[in-house]
Amino acid sequence: MLDIKLIQNDFENVAQSLRKKKVDESLLEELRALSLELKSARLVLEPLQAEQNAKSKLFGVYAKEGKDVAALKAELSLNKEKIAEATEIVRALEEKLESLATIIPNMPSPLVPEGEDENDNVELKRVLEPKTFSFTPKEHWDIDIKQNWIDFERGVKLSKSRFSVLKNEAARLERALINYMLDFNRSRGFEEVAVPYIVNRETLMGTGQLPKFEDDLFKVDGEDLFLIPTAEVPVTNLFRDEILNVEELPIKMTAYSACFRKEAGSAGRDTRGMIRQHQFDKVELVSITTPEQSEAVFEEMLSCASDLLTSLGLPHRHLMLCGGDLGFSAAKTVDLEVWLPGQNRYREISSVSNTFDFQARRAKIRFKDDGKNRLVHTLNGSSLAVGRTLIAIMENYQQEDGSVAIPEVLKKYM
């Protein structure tokens, strides 16, 4: 959540920054109007409270001097009623302001380029050259071994469209990838954690999925619980409502989880194959840092995900997301896109984001530094989306006879 004091004191700069994310100007104006109304209401309440405190102290003085306190009691009683009315006005405005603030996205970093959508993202670099094939490479759903690896029809039978079943070597390869990714991340200093796949509303509020994106989540019927869209949600919220010691930071974690998304906003996109599923596996990186550490840790996380792809022999590129393509909670994001020769294009396989103190303010994650409580910075990144990595291996390692080779680093896991 944005700092309400910042909105009150520097609205023009906040609004200018949020225009990069294409935030509705009327929403910002409503936020400013509410914050100013709250400020005015507090200016009414505070003198009344000060008067109450000052006059309450007069009782002792009047008693020593033998004065009648009846008039003083009447004044205090009347003032108490005014305080109650003013307090209720402040409380209602605070509640309304906080509710509105929860749907305002994070401000982008000054480093984020201007742009409308994914077409305006900026390529930073490419890693590994795509392989040249002596035959026309196929997409993963057309590779000859597909019928023994992926069963789309039975996935639909069991659930609905955008679910699939992995079989034989594909199921083993998925398991191998998960183990390899976790081991790789641990070797880079990320502690492994295992977290619940069902979380409460407060947890999703903490990382910014709620209230704005509830339509994209699978909700447990009859309970205020949801299936997680990413392990970022429970892993970041491990420290919700906690005050950490500065010596503990940075905390760097990695977790495997299944992820569940309705994909409500992507109707008609990537309907074939396994690119966009309602259920998929992902290995996540999450870091909790001081503000001073966060940029260095961001680069560590980005290098970890990129080096993981390199170790698998998968060509990829780094893209800095423009303001119009930046996620709700992110202040800065670099996407990694893997080369898919069957599609003859790069496709997203990882996003590494720094949210600065945006999630920490929502989740109340702080650290004690020289006796003062400060908000941490939270970072998250895919390392990697497992299904898309499996697809990338199928397409990049496909052979002319329809078989698929296995990357050298995975052979011991197979």
CSV table of all heavy atoms in Angstrom, one decimal, residues 81-134:
chain,number,residue,atom,x,y,z
A,81,GLU,N,-19.0,14.6,24.3
A,81,GLU,CA,-19.9,14.3,23.2
A,81,GLU,C,-19.3,14.8,21.9
A,81,GLU,O,-19.5,14.1,20.9
A,81,GLU,CB,-21.2,15.0,23.5
A,81,GLU,CG,-22.0,14.4,24.7
A,81,GLU,CD,-23.3,15.1,24.9
A,81,GLU,OE1,-23.7,16.0,24.1
A,81,GLU,OE2,-23.9,14.8,26.0
A,82,LYS,N,-18.7,15.9,21.9
A,82,LYS,CA,-18.1,16.5,20.6
A,82,LYS,C,-17.0,15.6,20.2
A,82,LYS,O,-16.8,15.3,19.0
A,82,LYS,CB,-17.6,17.9,20.9
A,82,LYS,CG,-18.7,18.9,21.1
A,82,LYS,CD,-18.1,20.3,21.3
A,82,LYS,CE,-19.2,21.3,21.5
A,82,LYS,NZ,-18.6,22.7,21.8
A,83,ILE,N,-16.2,15.1,21.2
A,83,ILE,CA,-15.1,14.2,20.9
A,83,ILE,C,-15.6,12.9,20.2
A,83,ILE,O,-15.0,12.4,19.2
A,83,ILE,CB,-14.2,13.9,22.1
A,83,ILE,CG1,-13.4,15.1,22.5
A,83,ILE,CG2,-13.3,12.7,21.9
A,83,ILE,CD1,-12.7,15.0,23.8
A,84,ALA,N,-16.7,12.3,20.8
A,84,ALA,CA,-17.2,11.1,20.3
A,84,ALA,C,-17.7,11.3,18.8
A,84,ALA,O,-17.4,10.4,18.0
A,84,ALA,CB,-18.4,10.7,21.2
A,85,GLU,N,-18.3,12.4,18.5
A,85,GLU,CA,-18.8,12.7,17.2
A,85,GLU,C,-17.6,12.8,16.2
A,85,GLU,O,-17.6,12.3,15.1
A,85,GLU,CB,-19.7,13.9,17.2
A,85,GLU,CG,-21.0,13.8,17.9
A,85,GLU,CD,-21.7,15.1,18.0
A,85,GLU,OE1,-21.3,16.1,17.4
A,85,GLU,OE2,-22.8,15.2,18.7
A,86,ALA,N,-16.6,13.6,16.7
A,86,ALA,CA,-15.5,13.9,15.8
A,86,ALA,C,-14.7,12.6,15.6
A,86,ALA,O,-14.1,12.3,14.5
A,86,ALA,CB,-14.6,14.9,16.4
A,87,THR,N,-14.6,11.7,16.6
A,87,THR,CA,-13.8,10.5,16.5
A,87,THR,C,-14.5,9.5,15.5
A,87,THR,O,-13.8,8.9,14.8
A,87,THR,CB,-13.8,9.8,17.9
A,87,THR,OG1,-13.1,10.6,18.8
A,87,THR,CG2,-13.0,8.4,17.8
A,88,GLU,N,-15.8,9.5,15.5
A,88,GLU,CA,-16.5,8.6,14.6
A,88,GLU,C,-16.3,9.1,13.2
A,88,GLU,O,-16.2,8.3,12.2
A,88,GLU,CB,-18.0,8.6,14.9
A,88,GLU,CG,-18.9,7.8,14.0
A,88,GLU,CD,-18.4,6.4,13.9
A,88,GLU,OE1,-17.8,5.8,14.8
A,88,GLU,OE2,-18.7,5.8,12.8
A,89,ILE,N,-16.3,10.4,13.0
A,89,ILE,CA,-16.0,11.0,11.6
A,89,ILE,C,-14.6,10.6,11.1
A,89,ILE,O,-14.4,10.1,10.0
A,89,ILE,CB,-16.2,12.5,11.6
A,89,ILE,CG1,-17.7,12.9,11.8
A,89,ILE,CG2,-15.7,13.1,10.3
A,89,ILE,CD1,-17.9,14.3,12.0
A,90,VAL,N,-13.6,10.7,12.0
A,90,VAL,CA,-12.3,10.3,11.7
A,90,VAL,C,-12.2,8.8,11.4
A,90,VAL,O,-11.5,8.4,10.4
A,90,VAL,CB,-11.3,10.7,12.8
A,90,VAL,CG1,-9.9,10.1,12.6
A,90,VAL,CG2,-11.1,12.2,12.9
A,91,ARG,N,-12.8,8.0,12.2
A,91,ARG,CA,-12.7,6.6,12.1
A,91,ARG,C,-13.3,6.2,10.7
A,91,ARG,O,-12.8,5.3,10.0
A,91,ARG,CB,-13.5,5.9,13.2
A,91,ARG,CG,-13.4,4.3,13.1
A,91,ARG,CD,-14.6,3.7,13.8
A,91,ARG,NE,-15.8,4.0,13.2
A,91,ARG,CZ,-16.2,3.4,12.1
A,91,ARG,NH1,-15.5,2.6,11.4
A,91,ARG,NH2,-17.4,3.8,11.6
A,92,ALA,N,-14.5,6.7,10.4
A,92,ALA,CA,-15.1,6.4,9.1
A,92,ALA,C,-14.3,6.8,7.9
A,92,ALA,O,-14.2,6.1,6.9
A,92,ALA,CB,-16.5,7.1,9.0
A,93,LEU,N,-13.7,8.0,8.0
A,93,LEU,CA,-12.8,8.4,6.9
A,93,LEU,C,-11.5,7.6,6.8
A,93,LEU,O,-11.1,7.3,5.7
A,93,LEU,CB,-12.4,9.9,7.1
A,93,LEU,CG,-13.5,10.9,6.9
A,93,LEU,CD1,-13.1,12.3,7.3
A,93,LEU,CD2,-13.9,11.0,5.4
A,94,GLU,N,-11.0,7.2,7.9
A,94,GLU,CA,-9.8,6.3,7.9
A,94,GLU,C,-10.1,5.0,7.2
A,94,GLU,O,-9.3,4.5,6.4
A,94,GLU,CB,-9.3,6.1,9.3
A,94,GLU,CG,-8.5,7.2,9.9
A,94,GLU,CD,-8.1,7.0,11.4
A,94,GLU,OE1,-8.8,6.1,12.0
A,94,GLU,OE2,-7.2,7.7,11.8
A,95,GLU,N,-11.3,4.4,7.6
A,95,GLU,CA,-11.7,3.2,7.0
A,95,GLU,C,-11.9,3.3,5.5
A,95,GLU,O,-11.5,2.5,4.7
A,95,GLU,CB,-13.0,2.7,7.7
A,95,GLU,CG,-13.4,1.3,7.3
A,95,GLU,CD,-14.6,0.9,8.2
A,95,GLU,OE1,-14.5,0.7,9.4
A,95,GLU,OE2,-15.7,0.8,7.6
A,96,LYS,N,-12.5,4.4,5.1
A,96,LYS,CA,-12.8,4.6,3.6
A,96,LYS,C,-11.5,4.9,2.9
A,96,LYS,O,-11.3,4.3,1.8
A,96,LYS,CB,-13.7,5.8,3.5
A,96,LYS,CG,-14.4,6.0,2.1
A,96,LYS,CD,-15.4,7.1,2.2
A,96,LYS,CE,-16.0,7.3,0.8
A,96,LYS,NZ,-17.0,8.4,0.8
A,97,LEU,N,-10.6,5.6,3.5
A,97,LEU,CA,-9.3,5.9,2.8
A,97,LEU,C,-8.5,4.6,2.7
A,97,LEU,O,-7.9,4.4,1.6
A,97,LEU,CB,-8.6,6.9,3.6
A,97,LEU,CG,-7.2,7.4,3.1
A,97,LEU,CD1,-7.4,8.0,1.7
A,97,LEU,CD2,-6.5,8.4,4.0
A,98,GLU,N,-8.4,3.8,3.7
A,98,GLU,CA,-7.6,2.6,3.6
A,98,GLU,C,-8.2,1.6,2.6
A,98,GLU,O,-7.5,1.0,1.9
A,98,GLU,CB,-7.6,1.9,5.0
A,98,GLU,CG,-6.7,0.7,5.0
A,98,GLU,CD,-6.2,0.3,6.3
A,98,GLU,OE1,-6.1,1.2,7.2
A,98,GLU,OE2,-5.8,-0.9,6.5
A,99,SER,N,-9.6,1.6,2.5
A,99,SER,CA,-10.2,0.7,1.5
A,99,SER,C,-9.9,1.2,0.1
A,99,SER,O,-9.6,0.3,-0.7
A,99,SER,CB,-11.7,0.8,1.8
A,99,SER,OG,-12.4,0.0,0.8
A,100,LEU,N,-9.9,2.5,-0.1
A,100,LEU,CA,-9.5,3.0,-1.4
A,100,LEU,C,-8.0,2.8,-1.7
A,100,LEU,O,-7.7,2.4,-2.8
A,100,LEU,CB,-9.9,4.5,-1.5
A,100,LEU,CG,-9.6,5.1,-2.9
A,100,LEU,CD1,-10.4,4.5,-4.0
A,100,LEU,CD2,-9.9,6.6,-2.8
A,101,ALA,N,-7.2,2.9,-0.7
A,101,ALA,CA,-5.7,2.8,-0.9
A,101,ALA,C,-5.4,1.4,-1.3
A,101,ALA,O,-4.4,1.2,-2.0
A,101,ALA,CB,-5.0,3.2,0.3
A,102,THR,N,-6.1,0.4,-0.9
A,102,THR,CA,-5.8,-1.0,-1.2
A,102,THR,C,-5.9,-1.3,-2.7
A,102,THR,O,-5.4,-2.4,-3.1
A,102,THR,CB,-6.7,-2.0,-0.4
A,102,THR,OG1,-8.0,-1.8,-0.7
A,102,THR,CG2,-6.4,-1.8,1.1
A,103,ILE,N,-6.6,-0.5,-3.4
A,103,ILE,CA,-6.8,-0.8,-4.9
A,103,ILE,C,-5.9,0.1,-5.7
A,103,ILE,O,-5.9,0.1,-7.0
A,103,ILE,CB,-8.2,-0.8,-5.3
A,103,ILE,CG1,-8.8,0.7,-5.2
A,103,ILE,CG2,-9.1,-1.8,-4.6
A,103,ILE,CD1,-10.2,0.8,-5.8
A,104,ILE,N,-5.1,0.9,-5.1
A,104,ILE,CA,-4.1,1.8,-5.8
A,104,ILE,C,-2.8,1.0,-5.9
A,104,ILE,O,-2.3,0.5,-4.9
A,104,ILE,CB,-3.9,3.1,-5.1
A,104,ILE,CG1,-5.2,3.9,-4.8
A,104,ILE,CG2,-2.9,4.0,-5.8
A,104,ILE,CD1,-5.8,4.4,-6.1
A,105,PRO,N,-2.2,0.9,-7.1
A,105,PRO,CA,-1.0,0.1,-7.3
A,105,PRO,C,0.2,0.8,-6.7
A,105,PRO,O,0.2,2.0,-6.4
A,105,PRO,CB,-0.9,-0.1,-8.8
A,105,PRO,CG,-1.6,1.1,-9.4
A,105,PRO,CD,-2.7,1.4,-8.4
A,106,ASN,N,1.3,0.1,-6.7
A,106,ASN,CA,2.6,0.6,-6.2
A,106,ASN,C,3.1,1.6,-7.3
A,106,ASN,O,2.9,1.5,-8.5
A,106,ASN,CB,3.6,-0.5,-6.1
A,106,ASN,CG,4.8,-0.1,-5.3
A,106,ASN,OD1,4.9,1.0,-4.7
A,106,ASN,ND2,5.8,-1.0,-5.1
A,107,MET,N,3.9,2.6,-6.8
A,107,MET,CA,4.5,3.5,-7.7
A,107,MET,C,5.7,2.8,-8.4
A,107,MET,O,6.5,2.1,-7.7
A,107,MET,CB,5.0,4.8,-7.0
A,107,MET,CG,3.9,5.6,-6.4
A,107,MET,SD,4.6,7.2,-5.8
A,107,MET,CE,5.7,6.7,-4.6
A,108,PRO,N,5.9,3.0,-9.7
A,108,PRO,CA,7.1,2.4,-10.3
A,108,PRO,C,8.4,3.2,-10.0
A,108,PRO,O,8.4,4.4,-9.7
A,108,PRO,CB,6.8,2.6,-11.8
A,108,PRO,CG,5.8,3.7,-11.9
A,108,PRO,CD,5.0,3.7,-10.6
A,109,SER,N,9.5,2.4,-10.0
A,109,SER,CA,10.8,3.0,-9.8
A,109,SER,C,11.0,4.0,-10.9
A,109,SER,O,10.6,3.9,-12.1
A,109,SER,CB,11.8,1.9,-9.8
A,109,SER,OG,13.1,2.4,-10.1
A,110,PRO,N,11.8,5.1,-10.7
A,110,PRO,CA,12.2,6.0,-11.7
A,110,PRO,C,12.9,5.3,-12.9
A,110,PRO,O,13.0,5.9,-14.0
A,110,PRO,CB,13.1,7.0,-11.0
A,110,PRO,CG,12.8,6.9,-9.6
A,110,PRO,CD,12.4,5.5,-9.3
A,111,LEU,N,13.5,4.1,-12.6
A,111,LEU,CA,14.2,3.4,-13.7
A,111,LEU,C,13.3,2.8,-14.7
A,111,LEU,O,13.7,2.3,-15.8
A,111,LEU,CB,15.1,2.4,-13.1
A,111,LEU,CG,16.2,2.8,-12.1
A,111,LEU,CD1,16.9,1.6,-11.5
A,111,LEU,CD2,17.2,3.7,-12.9
A,112,VAL,N,12.0,2.6,-14.3
A,112,VAL,CA,11.0,2.0,-15.2
A,112,VAL,C,10.7,2.8,-16.4
A,112,VAL,O,10.4,4.0,-16.3
A,112,VAL,CB,9.7,1.6,-14.4
A,112,VAL,CG1,8.6,1.1,-15.4
A,112,VAL,CG2,10.0,0.6,-13.4
A,113,PRO,N,10.9,2.3,-17.6
A,113,PRO,CA,10.6,3.1,-18.8
A,113,PRO,C,9.1,3.4,-19.1
A,113,PRO,O,8.3,2.6,-18.6
A,113,PRO,CB,11.2,2.3,-20.0
A,113,PRO,CG,11.1,0.9,-19.5
A,113,PRO,CD,11.3,0.9,-18.0
A,114,GLU,N,8.8,4.4,-19.8
A,114,GLU,CA,7.4,4.7,-20.2
A,114,GLU,C,7.0,3.7,-21.2
A,114,GLU,O,7.8,3.1,-21.9
A,114,GLU,CB,7.3,6.1,-20.8
A,114,GLU,CG,7.7,7.3,-19.8
A,114,GLU,CD,6.5,7.6,-18.9
A,114,GLU,OE1,5.4,7.1,-19.1
A,114,GLU,OE2,6.7,8.5,-18.1
A,115,GLY,N,5.7,3.4,-21.2
A,115,GLY,CA,5.2,2.5,-22.2
A,115,GLY,C,3.7,2.1,-22.0
A,115,GLY,O,3.3,2.1,-20.8
A,116,GLU,N,3.0,1.6,-23.0
A,116,GLU,CA,1.6,1.3,-22.9
A,116,GLU,C,1.4,-0.2,-22.5
A,116,GLU,O,0.6,-0.5,-21.7
A,116,GLU,CB,0.9,1.5,-24.2
A,116,GLU,CG,0.8,3.0,-24.6
A,116,GLU,CD,-0.1,3.8,-23.7
A,116,GLU,OE1,-1.1,3.3,-23.3
A,116,GLU,OE2,0.3,5.0,-23.4
A,117,ASP,N,2.2,-1.1,-23.1
A,117,ASP,CA,2.0,-2.5,-22.8
A,117,ASP,C,3.2,-3.3,-23.1
A,117,ASP,O,4.3,-2.7,-23.2
A,117,ASP,CB,0.8,-3.0,-23.7
A,117,ASP,CG,1.0,-2.7,-25.1
A,117,ASP,OD1,2.1,-2.7,-25.6
A,117,ASP,OD2,0.0,-2.4,-25.8
A,118,GLU,N,3.1,-4.6,-23.2
A,118,GLU,CA,4.3,-5.5,-23.4
A,118,GLU,C,5.1,-5.2,-24.6
A,118,GLU,O,6.3,-5.5,-24.7
A,118,GLU,CB,3.8,-7.0,-23.4
A,118,GLU,CG,2.9,-7.3,-24.6
A,118,GLU,CD,2.3,-8.7,-24.5
A,118,GLU,OE1,2.3,-9.3,-23.4
A,118,GLU,OE2,1.9,-9.2,-25.5
A,119,ASN,N,4.5,-4.5,-25.6
A,119,ASN,CA,5.2,-4.2,-26.8
A,119,ASN,C,6.3,-3.1,-26.6
A,119,ASN,O,7.1,-2.8,-27.4
A,119,ASN,CB,4.2,-3.7,-27.9
A,119,ASN,CG,3.3,-4.9,-28.3
A,119,ASN,OD1,3.8,-6.0,-28.6
A,119,ASN,ND2,2.0,-4.6,-28.4
A,120,ASP,N,6.1,-2.4,-25.4
A,120,ASP,CA,7.1,-1.3,-25.1
A,120,ASP,C,8.1,-1.7,-24.1
A,120,ASP,O,8.9,-0.8,-23.6
A,120,ASP,CB,6.3,-0.1,-24.6
A,120,ASP,CG,5.4,0.5,-25.7
A,120,ASP,OD1,5.8,0.5,-26.9
A,120,ASP,OD2,4.3,0.9,-25.4
A,121,ASN,N,8.2,-3.0,-23.7
A,121,ASN,CA,9.2,-3.4,-22.8
A,121,ASN,C,10.6,-3.3,-23.4
A,121,ASN,O,10.7,-3.4,-24.7
A,121,ASN,CB,8.9,-4.9,-22.3
A,121,ASN,CG,7.7,-5.0,-21.5
A,121,ASN,OD1,7.2,-4.0,-20.9
A,121,ASN,ND2,7.1,-6.2,-21.5
A,122,VAL,N,11.6,-3.1,-22.6
A,122,VAL,CA,13.0,-2.8,-23.2
A,122,VAL,C,13.9,-4.1,-23.0
A,122,VAL,O,14.1,-4.5,-21.8
A,122,VAL,CB,13.6,-1.6,-22.4
A,122,VAL,CG1,15.0,-1.4,-22.9
A,122,VAL,CG2,12.7,-0.4,-22.7
A,123,GLU,N,14.4,-4.6,-24.1
A,123,GLU,CA,15.3,-5.7,-24.0
A,123,GLU,C,16.7,-5.2,-23.4
A,123,GLU,O,17.3,-4.3,-23.9
A,123,GLU,CB,15.5,-6.3,-25.4
A,123,GLU,CG,16.4,-7.6,-25.3
A,123,GLU,CD,16.5,-8.3,-26.7
A,123,GLU,OE1,15.4,-8.5,-27.3
A,123,GLU,OE2,17.6,-8.5,-27.1
A,124,LEU,N,17.1,-5.9,-22.4
A,124,LEU,CA,18.4,-5.6,-21.8
A,124,LEU,C,19.6,-6.4,-22.3
A,124,LEU,O,20.6,-5.8,-22.6
A,124,LEU,CB,18.3,-5.8,-20.2
A,124,LEU,CG,17.2,-5.0,-19.5
A,124,LEU,CD1,17.2,-5.4,-18.0
A,124,LEU,CD2,17.5,-3.5,-19.7
A,125,LYS,N,19.4,-7.7,-22.5
A,125,LYS,CA,20.4,-8.5,-23.0
A,125,LYS,C,19.8,-9.9,-23.4
A,125,LYS,O,18.7,-10.2,-23.0
A,125,LYS,CB,21.6,-8.7,-22.1
A,125,LYS,CG,21.2,-9.5,-20.8
A,125,LYS,CD,22.5,-9.7,-20.0
A,125,LYS,CE,22.2,-10.4,-18.7
A,125,LYS,NZ,23.5,-10.7,-17.9
A,126,ARG,N,20.6,-10.6,-24.2
A,126,ARG,CA,20.3,-12.0,-24.6
A,126,ARG,C,21.4,-12.9,-24.0
A,126,ARG,O,22.6,-12.6,-24.0
A,126,ARG,CB,20.1,-12.2,-26.1
A,126,ARG,CG,19.0,-11.4,-26.6
A,126,ARG,CD,18.6,-11.7,-28.1
A,126,ARG,NE,17.5,-10.9,-28.5
A,126,ARG,CZ,16.9,-11.1,-29.7
A,126,ARG,NH1,17.2,-12.1,-30.5
A,126,ARG,NH2,15.8,-10.3,-30.0
A,127,VAL,N,20.9,-14.1,-23.6
A,127,VAL,CA,21.9,-15.1,-23.1
A,127,VAL,C,21.7,-16.4,-23.9
A,127,VAL,O,20.6,-16.9,-24.0
A,127,VAL,CB,21.6,-15.4,-21.6
A,127,VAL,CG1,22.6,-16.4,-21.0
A,127,VAL,CG2,21.7,-14.1,-20.8
A,128,LEU,N,22.8,-16.9,-24.5
A,128,LEU,CA,22.9,-18.1,-25.3
A,128,LEU,C,22.2,-17.9,-26.7
A,128,LEU,O,21.2,-17.2,-26.7
A,128,LEU,CB,22.3,-19.3,-24.6
A,128,LEU,CG,22.8,-19.8,-23.3
A,128,LEU,CD1,22.1,-21.1,-22.8
A,128,LEU,CD2,24.3,-20.1,-23.4
A,129,GLU,N,22.8,-18.4,-27.7
A,129,GLU,CA,22.2,-18.3,-29.0
A,129,GLU,C,21.3,-19.5,-29.3
A,129,GLU,O,21.6,-20.6,-29.0
A,129,GLU,CB,23.4,-18.4,-30.1
A,129,GLU,CG,24.2,-17.1,-30.2
A,129,GLU,CD,23.4,-15.9,-30.7
A,129,GLU,OE1,22.5,-16.1,-31.6
A,129,GLU,OE2,23.5,-14.8,-30.2
A,130,PRO,N,20.1,-19.2,-29.9
A,130,PRO,CA,19.2,-20.3,-30.2
A,130,PRO,C,19.8,-21.3,-31.2
A,130,PRO,O,20.6,-20.9,-32.0
A,130,PRO,CB,18.0,-19.5,-30.9
A,130,PRO,CG,18.1,-18.1,-30.3
A,130,PRO,CD,19.5,-17.8,-30.1
A,131,LYS,N,19.5,-22.5,-31.0
A,131,LYS,CA,20.1,-23.6,-31.8
A,131,LYS,C,19.5,-23.6,-33.2
A,131,LYS,O,18.4,-23.2,-33.4
A,131,LYS,CB,19.7,-24.9,-31.1
A,131,LYS,CG,20.1,-26.2,-31.9
A,131,LYS,CD,19.5,-27.4,-31.2
A,131,LYS,CE,19.8,-28.7,-32.0
A,131,LYS,NZ,19.2,-29.9,-31.3
A,132,THR,N,20.4,-23.9,-34.1
A,132,THR,CA,19.9,-24.1,-35.5
A,132,THR,C,19.6,-25.5,-35.8
A,132,THR,O,20.4,-26.4,-35.5
A,132,THR,CB,21.0,-23.6,-36.5
A,132,THR,OG1,21.4,-22.3,-36.3
A,132,THR,CG2,20.6,-23.8,-38.0
A,133,PHE,N,18.4,-25.8,-36.3
A,133,PHE,CA,17.9,-27.1,-36.5
A,133,PHE,C,18.0,-27.5,-38.0
A,133,PHE,O,17.9,-26.6,-38.9
A,133,PHE,CB,16.4,-27.2,-36.1
A,133,PHE,CG,16.1,-27.2,-34.6
A,133,PHE,CD1,16.0,-25.9,-34.0
A,133,PHE,CD2,16.0,-28.3,-33.9
A,133,PHE,CE1,15.8,-25.9,-32.6
A,133,PHE,CE2,15.8,-28.3,-32.5
A,133,PHE,CZ,15.7,-27.0,-31.9
A,134,SER,N,18.3,-28.8,-38.2
A,134,SER,CA,18.4,-29.3,-39.6
A,134,SER,C,17.0,-29.7,-40.1
A,134,SER,O,16.9,-30.1,-41.2
A,134,SER,CB,19.3,-30.5,-39.6
A,134,SER,OG,18.8,-31.5,-38.8
